[in-house]
Amino acid sequence: MTRQSWSSKTVFILAAVGSAVGLGNIWRFPYLAAKHGGGAFLVPYLIALLVVGIPLLTLEIGVGQLKQQGAIGSFRKLFPSFGGLGVLALLSAFIIVSYYTVVMAWSLIYFFGSFKLSWSENTEAYFNQQVLNISDSIFQIGGINLPIFSALIVVWILIYFSVWQGTKSLSKILYFTVPLPFILLVFLFIRTVTLDGFFQGWELYLNPVWNAMRDPEVWGAAFSQIFFTLTLAFGVMIAYASYRDSGEDIVKDSWITALLNSAISLFAGFVVFGVLGYMATQTETPLEELAQQSGPGLAFVIFPEALSLMPLPWLFSLLFFLILLTLGIDSAFSLVEAINTVFLDRSENIKLPQISFWVCLVGFFAGIIYTTRAGLYFLDIIDHFVTSYNLLFVGVGQALLAGWIYGAEKLRREINEVSFWKLGKWWWNLTIKYLVIIILTALLITNFYTDLNTAYGDYPGWVLGIAWFFVFLVPVLISGGIIVKDHMQLQRQNQFSKD
Ligand code: PFF
């Protein structure tokens, strides 16, 4: 059986950009910029892109394309007992997609609510009480929330029909789901610059506060954001690149993907902050207060309220939630595709529609916990741990594996052989062998230290402890166990062949 492949080079770029550009670009980047020094935040952000983002993205695209396997198989080809690291990446992908889809389910509910502007009375009450029906604490799980549950089914059906024929179905869908949110964003942008107060919003967003650059927290935020936004350490880029011809240009396409993703983040910020500026003038609320919201609060409370103040509110609400849905879906199906790919690598007899079905079904079941009345609490805690630990840990593992065990120089030569733009020896070796490892380890330690000292989100310590144990420690132990087992087996084989 021949390996699947993308229908064209452009489709691969669409897929990679689609995976990178997601909800994080709308509700994480603009908020971080405003909070951490406005325009001055761009300095640490761009440095993080150069020092960690692009090197790791090039590594993932390079490894996937050259080894022609998903995360597990590719890591094995770098070093035979390192498949376990791929397992850890995929477990993280699985955990994330199980709640990412729930956020998409909320977006779907809002999308349909746009026609009636269901939230117009009180957006906060609408989100917390109507949509989430949120309980008082994480201990009151309550029942399943049927509208969210039903919307989640629809989201998973959409994902299934995106991935069910692998690159064949994806190649068609991507032409639609990747450009559409950008076109809609441009519409919203044009609308924004005709609103009162938009410029105050932009000022808050980009006015540089250079002092911020002295704060280590700002640097930490920039590096985490780069990591998060490029969908690194999930095996996604590896899987996607494995469907390319092994002779494609790796370096150029990695740069294109990374730069497009950051450009879109920056652009989305103009829309988000323009709208917030308008809202501040309309409601006479201090802009800073509005801008403190990121995450679900921004997209499902502040933004709907701002949209409902505009002329033709239903139309712009419809646009906004369609943007969220179309941005989210190609990130979500990229995570599913990373998982599918390793199953397909394992056996030639596996049928794509079947494996997609099972992965989607299990992903759906894993998401049910977030459709309960305590769902938002679970989502918040699990998102915190998986993004603060698992991803960084896999990032360090990848850099150690490629930089030290396989050899940064060897990989550089292989990548350069097929690339028109060449990887510089100095930059590549310095980043992959040293900087990525040092910076991500420092972030891991800082996150751990902060979590030990302050209970995240004021949840009870033991709840956080249990979550950390299951989200981070158990997956690490499983993958570590696989690495050790494979290593021993390998040694036995070597011994055997020597005897
Ligand atoms: N890169 C996408 C985003 O920024 O939304 C997808 C994603 C990556 C989601 C990593 C979540 C995550 F932790």
Side-chain angles (χ1 to χ4, degrees):
M1 214 172 75
T2 54
R3 195 173 177 76
Q4 308 175 59
S5 60
W6 297 108
S7 58
S8 75
K9 191 178 134 99
T10 321
V11 176
F12 166 76
I13 303 264
L14 284 178
V17 171
S19 170
V21 182
L23 302 175
N25 298 54
I26 290 265
W27 77 36
R28 218 156 172 270
F29 174 80
Y31 153 83
L32 287 176
K35 182 175 167 201
H36 295 305
F41 181 71
L42 293 181
V43 177
Y45 178 85
L46 289 176
I47 292 178
L49 186 67
L50 265 178
V51 167
V52 167
I54 296 181
L56 273 181
L57 184 65
T58 312
L59 186 158
E60 291 199 7
I61 294 183
V63 165
Q65 180 182 311
L66 295 168
K67 308 299 170 197
Q68 296 279 302
Q69 296 264 302
I72 298 181
S74 283
F75 289 160
R76 278 217 171 103
K77 285 194 177 174
L78 294 184
F79 192 77
S81 50
F82 257 70
L85 186 63
V87 175
L88 186 58
L90 296 167
L91 285 174
S92 311
F94 180 75
I95 295 173
I96 293 208
V97 77
S98 67
Y99 66 76
Y100 205 76
T101 42
V102 176
V103 179
M104 291 174 61
W106 303 341
S107 310
L108 192 64
I109 292 177
Y110 271 78
F111 178 76
F112 286 110
S114 299
F115 294 100
K116 287 195 304 203
L117 236 56
S118 319
W119 50 83
S120 54
E121 304 266 302
N122 180 342
T123 45
E124 193 159 359
Y126 179 77
F127 181 54
N128 289 324
Q129 272 122 51
Q130 281 295 97
V131 178
L132 300 182
N133 192 10
I134 194 168
S135 63
D136 291 333
S137 84
I138 190 164
F139 304 111
Q140 293 173 3
I141 295 185
I144 285 174
N145 180 322
L146 270 184
I148 301 182
F149 183 83
S150 321
L152 186 63
I153 296 180
V154 176
V155 168
W156 274 107
I157 291 177
L158 291 175
I159 293 179
Y160 175 74
F161 282 108
S162 308
V163 296
W164 75 302
Q165 294 173 319
T167 52
K168 195 166 152 220
S169 47
L170 286 173
S171 295
K172 289 182 206 137
I173 302 265
L174 284 162
Y175 274 110
F176 173 74
T177 54
V178 180
L180 186 67
F182 308 143
I183 298 170
L184 300 180
L185 257 177
V186 171
F187 265 114
L188 215 51
F189 176 84
I190 296 171
R191 177 72 265 229
T192 310
V193 295
T194 59
L195 296 170
D196 288 339
F198 80 90
F199 201 73
Q200 277 99 306
W202 287 10
E203 270 178 347
L204 180 72
Y205 172 39
L206 286 183
N207 188 24
V209 183
W210 296 108
N211 265 345
M213 277 171 57
R214 298 213 194 114
D215 183 355
E217 193 194 327
V218 172
W219 288 83
F223 278 98
S224 311
Q225 173 61 11
I226 282 298
F227 208 73
F228 181 91
T229 191
L230 288 174
T231 323
L232 296 170
F234 294 108
V236 166
M237 297 299 176
I238 300 180
Y240 273 179
S242 75
Y243 297 126
R244 306 213 311 162
D245 187 278
S246 53
E248 298 275 5
D249 194 321
I250 295 167
V251 180
K252 188 164 91 223
D253 293 348
S254 307
W255 278 80
I256 293 178
T257 305
L259 294 181
L260 271 176
N261 171 61
S262 293
I264 293 161
S265 287
L266 202 64
F267 183 68
F270 281 106
V271 176
V272 169
F273 273 84
V275 172
L276 291 186
Y278 167 70
M279 183 172 168
T281 34
Q282 296 295 302
T283 58
E284 293 176 4
T285 323
L287 182 58
E288 286 75 13
E289 205 173 287
L290 300 176
Q292 272 166 15
Q293 288 274 2
S294 83
L298 177 72
F300 298 105
V301 177
I302 302 286
F303 230 76
E305 188 170 341
L307 295 169
S308 62
L309 299 171
M310 289 185 184
L312 291 181
W314 62 271
L315 179 65
F316 290 101
S317 304
L318 213 61
L319 273 188
F320 177 68
F321 290 106
L322 192 58
I323 291 176
L324 284 192
L325 279 169
T326 46
L327 277 185
I329 194 160
D330 23 44
S331 299
F333 64 57
S334 72
L335 295 164
V336 172
E337 190 60 24
I339 302 173
N340 286 354
T341 302
V342 298
F343 283 112
L344 293 169
D345 286 345
R346 264 188 95 89
S347 160
E348 296 203 337
N349 301 326
I350 292 183
K351 298 260 181 315
L352 239 170
Q354 263 117 317
I355 193 65
S356 303
F357 176 79
W358 288 109
V359 172
C360 289
L361 194 71
V362 178
F364 164 71
F365 277 114
I368 291 178
I369 179 92
Y370 309 107
T371 69
T372 62
R373 294 187 53 203
L376 183 62
Y377 305 120
F378 287 109
L379 194 155
D380 185 29
I381 294 177
I382 290 177
D383 172 68
H384 172 71
F385 286 118
V386 77
T387 54
S388 314
Y389 296 95
N390 299 37
L391 304 192
L392 299 174
F393 194 83
V394 174
V396 174
Q398 286 184 171
L400 280 174
L401 172 61
W404 291 92
I405 300 177
Y406 186 74
E409 190 48 30
K410 187 170 168 203
L411 186 60
R412 187 180 78 93
R413 263 188 259 121
E414 286 174 7
I415 292 177
N416 278 351
E417 215 164 278
V418 294
S419 301
F420 177 69
W421 293 6
K422 305 292 179 204
L423 285 176
K425 187 172 184 163
W426 196 81
W427 172 69
W428 177 253
N429 287 330
L430 181 71
T431 54
I432 291 297
K433 287 180 78 170
Y434 301 99
L435 294 180
V436 168
I437 298 172
I438 294 170
I439 292 167
L440 298 186
T441 309
L443 275 179
L444 267 172
I445 295 172
T446 323
N447 290 345
F448 191 60
Y449 184 77
T450 316
D451 276 333
L452 276 186
N453 283 302
T454 35
Y456 174 73
D458 278 335
Y459 295 101
W462 62 273
V463 171
L464 295 172
I466 292 179
W468 186 80
F469 179 80
F470 281 108
V471 172
F472 177 61
L473 209 57
V474 170
V476 167
L477 290 176
I478 292 177
S479 68
I482 297 174
I483 292 178
V484 172
K485 189 188 107 254
D486 287 352
H487 197 72
M488 288 188 338
Q489 200 172 358
L490 210 75
Q491 273 180 330
R492 246 179 278 128
Q493 275 166 2
N494 285 349
Q495 197 60 37
F496 190 67
S497 52
K498 257 192 237 153
D499 294 347

